[in-house]
Amino acid sequence: SQVLTVLSLEFLNSFRSFGLRFVLYNYITNEFHITDVHAGTLLGMKGFVDIVFGLSGSILVDIIGVRKISLIAMSVAIIGRTLLAFGRTQYTLYVSLFLFSPMGDALLSTGLYRVALKKLTTPTTRPFAFACSYAVSNLAGALADVVVDKMRSGLTDISILSSSSSDCDDDNENNSSSCIWRKNGARNLC
């Protein structure tokens, strides 16, 4: 039914949203070489912008309608995610974080799904539909956390150690001045 479609879309959107929140700080600091304090400031400002767009997004859903807003929001969100993923300058990061992503996220957020559920349910089934919506959103957040943790534990950080370290052999094949080691201590390249 259409209610299940709305709940499925809410699950996917919540999974995407929570998953991005779990990795956004690391992405900003590692890819754009932004300091911790600057990244915290950016994320705080993004949170404020999310609230502003979220309030306006809920109002727009009531005025324009669920279908039109979902099409507009998806288009804007795709632009924001593309800039965030493939942009390599701080300018594209800022445009994505403060304009396209919050606008798309706000329009695709809970307001859209609540209005859709309100229109698709009767007054007697509406409380149950809203409860399912809340449960689906929390389930998506919990699963996103588990998936991100599994992905992080599957990837090992690679660090470069100087060759004067006792871990490196002096008789390595290419006489490089550094050794690359994995977190677990197994030699990757000397």
Side-chain angles (χ1 to χ4, degrees):
S1 92
Q2 292 177 335
V3 172
L4 290 177
T5 302
V6 170
L7 292 175
S8 300
L9 290 172
E10 185 171 10
F11 175 85
L12 293 173
N13 187 50
S14 295
F15 187 86
R16 176 210 46 84
S17 178
F18 282 108
L20 180 65
R21 287 182 200 152
F22 293 140
V23 299
L24 187 58
Y25 169 79
N26 287 334
Y27 179 72
I28 289 172
T29 56
N30 292 335
E31 292 294 321
F32 295 96
H33 307 290
I34 292 176
T35 65
D36 293 342
V37 173
H38 190 200
T41 303
L42 289 176
L43 293 176
M45 290 171 26
K46 181 188 181 322
F48 178 74
V49 172
D50 284 342
I51 291 171
V52 170
F53 275 112
L55 293 173
S56 60
S58 296
I59 294 167
L60 284 175
V61 169
D62 283 334
I63 294 171
I64 297 175
V66 174
R67 186 177 190 288
K68 287 181 183 176
I69 286 294
S70 61
L71 292 173
I72 293 167
M74 185 57 68
S75 302
V76 171
I78 287 171
I79 293 169
R81 295 293 179 233
T82 302
L83 285 175
L84 191 60
F86 298 112
R88 291 291 159 230
T89 65
Q90 287 189 7
Y91 176 76
T92 58
L93 173 68
Y94 296 155
V95 169
S96 174
L97 285 180
F98 300 129
L99 181 64
F100 290 109
S101 290
M103 189 183 304
D105 291 347
L107 295 176
L108 282 174
S109 69
T110 56
L112 177 73
Y113 301 112
R114 298 298 178 271
V115 171
L117 287 175
K118 182 180 176 186
K119 290 183 178 192
L120 293 173
T121 57
T122 64
T124 56
T125 60
R126 194 167 297 139
F128 182 71
F130 286 161
C132 288
S133 171
Y134 185 71
V136 161
S137 179
N138 287 330
L139 176 65
L143 289 177
D145 184 30
V146 170
V147 168
V148 167
D149 282 344
K150 288 293 184 186
M151 290 177 72
R152 283 183 180 164
S153 67
L155 301 174
T156 56
D157 293 337
I158 296 176
S159 60
I160 299 177
L161 304 171
S162 70
S163 61
S164 62
S165 170
S166 61
D167 294 333
C168 289
D169 295 335
D170 290 333
D171 58 341
N172 56 25
E173 294 146 9
N174 57 7
N175 291 328
S176 66
S177 62
S178 63
C179 289
I180 299 175
W181 293 82
R182 293 200 185 268
K183 215 183 216 181
N184 63 8
R187 181 168 49 212
N188 188 23
L189 174 67
C190 262

